[in-house]
Amino acid sequence: MNWETVIGLEIHAQLATRSKIFSSAPTAYGAAPNTQANLVDLGYPGVLPVLNRSAVQMAVKFGLAVGADIAARSVFARKNYFYPDLPKGYQISQYEKPIVERGSLQIVLEDGERKTIGITRAHLEEDAGKSLHEDFHGLTGIDLNRAGTPLLEIVSEPDMRSAREAVAYMKKIHTLVRYLEICDGNMQEGSFRCDANVSVRPLGQSKFGTRCEIKNLNSFRYIEKAINHEVARQIEIIEGGGTIRQETRLYDPDKDETRALRSKEEANDYRYFPDPDLLPVVLDPSFIEQVRISLPELPDQKAARYLEQFGLSAYDAGILTASREMGDYYEAVLAALGAEHGGGHEKLAANWIMGELSAALNKDGLEIARSRVDARRLAGLLERIVDGTISGKIAKEVFEAMWADGLDADAVIEAKGLRQITDTAAIETVIESVMAANPKQLAEYRSGKDKLFGFFVGQVMKATGGKANPAQLNELLKKKLAG
């Protein structure tokens, strides 16, 4: 039997506010346990939550970016359940009336196909604390620094049909929230994570199968592996005559398997009711309009502009707009190249950023914002390629020195004597000496063995230390070899 996978994601994006969603406690990561939690976060009786305006602005920003409806009136509710790291015994979240509903996002699959993923809702809520199991010898410690941190939970429609589609969607949301500067997207620190709801059904069947939820996935690679394992597990059970039990599961990356955590709760298990300590959130149209005006150019808009304005391919535009910092760097290089060199060399700049620069960044584990060669200096290197001072091959050597020593391109070129040889007579002299040193190859070339042209190019380049102008060399060499 052929099976179809059905996936929906619940993405938790930690909002980049300075203080928590209902208290003035800071949200900075990495502080000593329980040093960033105040009485509200600790759930003391008699204290009242106060909604953080910045969290509301960020939620609206996201909603507008995905073309969603922004609720003029939304309501916070209490989601009741017991967790040791949630002192109040309930989580303040949104249920029946979230702040964002009915949006969508388009993803591009590996084969170039575009697919629209529906976004059911995005609601504000507070994060829980963290249980600490290490260094307590059979006991569990509780760190409430994270309790009350603002989250935007982005719930998709069950529109994805493979683990790769889910990863593509997750990456698209990751790019978007970083563009909007509402979330730092740090997955290692848990700022951006998701729960994946996975089910299978016979291909062609309209009714959904029983779903299982895989909790707290914070790596694109683990999301793909966890979903693939869960799909295989469910199919094996059904084909073996069993049934799928609705439950919450954890992914163990060491064993590459999911395992049961608890039976899946339904909404009525949480006994939602409106939080009596918080007024409904009522948004004035002028507030929404102010947020709309503040939106930056979004990734899809920027990619479309790169196609039209710079003549880049869809692939190149996608790479260069994968992060806001990457796009900013690219445009800074073009601006530094200026009118003299910028026009017509957009592809050259794109190739260097996606090639040599990205390789160096990956090698050293750096983000582009911390590049050792800034946009102005890379533009300086490209100028020397464009004006013929160095060849593309020599430019790679210059770039390596710039990356290692922090020098400008001109300084490296002069210090290493890498200026390209463009003197016709000098190149001809080297060609003649190479021909004289290789009479056998010369005779074979002149008898019709054209492939030896590359041999002579290589010999001349070797003799000039790779500094002969390639275009001039090719032209002069053809004439000399012809006799």
Side-chain angles (χ1 to χ4, degrees), residues 62-85:
F62 175 81
L64 293 172
V66 297
D69 297 335
I70 308 299
R73 183 178 185 276
S74 61
V75 175
F76 282 99
R78 291 185 179 182
K79 182 180 181 182
N80 297 276
Y81 60 93
F82 173 75
Y83 271 111
D85 48 13

Side-chain angles (χ1 to χ4, degrees), residues 33-170:
N34 297 312
T35 59
Q36 298 195 105
N38 64 17
L39 298 182
V40 174
D41 308 315
L42 297 173
Y44 269 49
V47 296
L48 292 174
V50 178
L51 179 59
N52 187 329
R53 177 186 174 91
S54 293
V56 175
Q57 286 177 318
M58 292 179 182
V60 172
K61 213 170 187 179
F62 175 81
L64 293 172
V66 297
D69 297 335
I70 308 299
R73 183 178 185 276
S74 61
V75 175
F76 282 99
R78 291 185 179 182
K79 182 180 181 182
N80 297 276
Y81 60 93
F82 173 75
Y83 271 111
D85 48 13
L86 199 61
K88 298 191 296 286
Y90 59 85
Q91 178 190 33
I92 302 177
S93 181
Q94 293 189 312
Y95 178 51
E96 290 183 317
K97 296 181 178 177
I99 192 166
V100 172
E101 288 186 286
R102 294 181 290 277
S104 66
L105 204 63
Q106 194 173 70
I107 60 173
V108 180
L109 306 178
E110 291 179 344
D111 61 1
E113 180 190 353
R114 293 179 179 273
K115 182 171 182 177
T116 298
I117 306 297
I119 295 174
T120 312
R121 57 189 276 151
H123 61 260
L124 288 164
E125 64 183 24
E126 61 178 346
D127 205 351
K130 183 179 180 182
S131 297
L132 306 174
H133 304 292
E134 297 179 356
D135 303 326
F136 288 94
H137 307 292
L139 302 175
T140 297
I142 303 296
D143 177 9
L144 293 174
N145 280 355
R146 206 172 65 186
T149 299
L151 299 179
L152 186 67
E153 181 171 333
I154 304 159
V155 182
S156 81
E157 292 289 308
D159 289 340
M160 289 153 275
R161 293 293 174 267
S162 70
R164 291 195 171 185
E165 286 187 14
V167 171
Y169 168 74
M170 182 89 169

